[in-house]
Amino acid sequence: MMSNRAVWDSTGAKIFSVVKRFLFVAALCIIGFAVWAQAGMLYVSAGGNTPSFQGWVQDDAGLLSSEEEEALEEECARVSRQYNTGVYIITTPDFGGGDIKDWQSRIFTEYGLGTESSGSGVMLAISMAKRDWGLVGFGAAQEAFTTYGRERLGEKILDDLSDGEFYDAFERYVSMAEDYLTAAEKGKPYTEEHPYGEGWRIPTIIGLSFLLSFCVSLGVVLSWKKSMNTRVLRNGAMEYMRAGSFQLYNQTDRFLYHTVTRTKRQTENHSSGSGSSGMHSSSSGTSGKF
């Protein structure tokens, strides 16, 4: 028979062994959780929630080749410097849910984008998880990227985005952004009253063709008219009359009627009013699916 002390020592050893194993498993769980969390943070960083934003184009989703990204980078830089407005492109595997426009605003603020242009900028963002796109104007760029302008731009790039032609979509975005900024610089941003269209070359060609055809036709008609004019031009109707066939016995001048025209004098209106057209928010955007 084992003594009570021996039994107690054996039981204590078993308890100690169980506690030691529990602590070991707990330590493994904590380490595993830390590794998982770190991996999650790295994924979030790669996904775009906190990207390492450098330059004008940030392709975290890997939608572009290095040559395409470099070409877009150069174009964005050129337009940004020319119009003092940052033109940005960002892609991400997953922006994290919610409203992609809010995510874009957070990126713009956290990374100090637009600091070289007094906070003025525009950003096109693409998230591949649920195929979201967002277009947000910041600061003074909102004047160029009106609600109509943003929706129009989205319509123009939607087909390319849906077909996976991301470079073509981004290239058109930069081109249209330059057009928008040019129009705003002239004081005529694109709106419903001043719509944006890329088909101006067709009306021009049609107009020139019509003008050329009209000139040719006019030349032919004048040539025909000249060849058909065989009579000699007379200076007056009397030359067509036989001598002595017309005699005037009486000549009078009679006043028949007169016309009076009255024009109302316009009075000046001295009324005045006041209003404000300034921006009431730091950003405005449009988003959708592709």
Side-chain angles (χ1 to χ4, degrees):
M1 297 290 295
M2 296 178 62
S3 64
N4 291 336
R5 181 178 181 84
V7 172
W8 174 255
D9 290 342
S10 176
T11 303
K14 291 180 179 179
I15 293 174
F16 178 75
S17 176
V18 171
V19 170
K20 184 170 67 173
R21 290 179 181 179
F22 173 78
L23 292 176
F24 178 75
V25 172
L28 289 179
C29 290
I30 293 173
I31 294 173
F33 178 78
V35 172
W36 175 82
Q38 182 67 22
M41 291 177 63
L42 292 175
Y43 173 77
V44 167
S45 176
N49 285 339
T50 54
S52 177
F53 208 111
Q54 297 177 355
W56 310 99
V57 181
Q58 185 72 19
D59 183 27
D60 289 336
L63 306 180
L64 303 169
S65 66
S66 58
E67 293 80 8
E68 292 172 339
E69 185 173 357
E70 183 178 353
L72 289 171
E73 181 78 23
E74 292 178 357
E75 279 299 293
C76 288
R78 180 186 63 81
V79 176
S80 300
R81 287 192 297 266
Q82 182 174 349
Y83 295 94
N84 195 32
T85 297
V87 179
Y88 301 96
I89 300 173
I90 181 170
T91 71
T92 176
D94 187 357
F95 73 93
D99 191 337
I100 192 171
K101 298 190 298 295
D102 295 336
W103 176 73
Q104 289 175 260
S105 298
R106 188 168 66 251
I107 294 296
F108 194 87
T109 301
E110 289 181 357
Y111 287 89
L113 304 183
T115 54
E116 298 179 357
S117 54
S118 302
S120 177
V122 59
M123 177 188 292
L124 174 64
I126 301 296
S127 177
M128 297 303 295
K130 297 184 179 180
R131 303 183 72 83
D132 293 279
W133 68 269
L135 179 65
V136 180
F138 300 91
Q142 295 176 85
E143 181 180 352
F145 293 85
T146 61
T147 301
Y148 164 84
R150 296 191 305 270
E151 292 176 351
R152 180 64 170 159
L153 197 154
E155 292 173 358
K156 287 293 185 180
I157 66 174
L158 186 58
D159 288 341
D160 287 333
L161 292 177
S162 300
D163 295 339
E165 302 293 337
F166 296 105
Y167 176 76
D168 293 339
F170 297 155
E171 188 178 39
R172 173 164 290 193
Y173 153 71
V174 177
S175 176
M176 291 183 66
E178 184 174 8
D179 293 341
Y180 282 17
L181 292 170
T182 300
E185 192 175 67
K186 295 179 179 178
K188 294 182 178 180
Y190 291 111
T191 61
E192 290 82 356
E193 293 74 22
H194 180 216
Y196 176 86
E198 295 182 344
W200 62 269
R201 295 178 181 85
I202 295 178
T204 301
I205 293 173
I206 294 175
L208 291 175
S209 300
F210 174 80
L211 182 61
L212 180 60
S213 301
F214 175 79
C215 293
V216 173
S217 301
L218 181 62
V220 172
V221 171
L222 291 177
S223 177
W224 287 351
K225 181 177 180 298
K226 184 177 180 181
S227 63
M228 294 175 63
N229 188 9
T230 58
R231 293 184 177 271
V232 179
L233 180 65
R234 301 294 184 180
N235 296 325
M238 297 301 294
E239 299 183 21
Y240 292 94
M241 298 180 62
R242 292 180 181 180
S245 64
F246 176 76
Q247 294 181 357
L248 181 66
Y249 296 98
N250 188 19
Q251 179 177 347
T252 59
D253 293 330
R254 180 177 297 177
F255 180 74
L256 297 179
Y257 58 88
H258 71 280
T259 302
V260 178
T261 302
R262 291 184 174 89
T263 303
K264 183 179 179 180
R265 180 180 296 176
Q266 299 293 333
T267 59
E268 295 184 0
N269 187 355
H270 296 285
S271 62
S272 62
S274 60
S276 174
S277 60
M279 296 297 175
H280 299 285
S281 62
S282 59
S283 65
S284 53
T286 300
S287 61
K289 301 285 186 178
F290 64 91

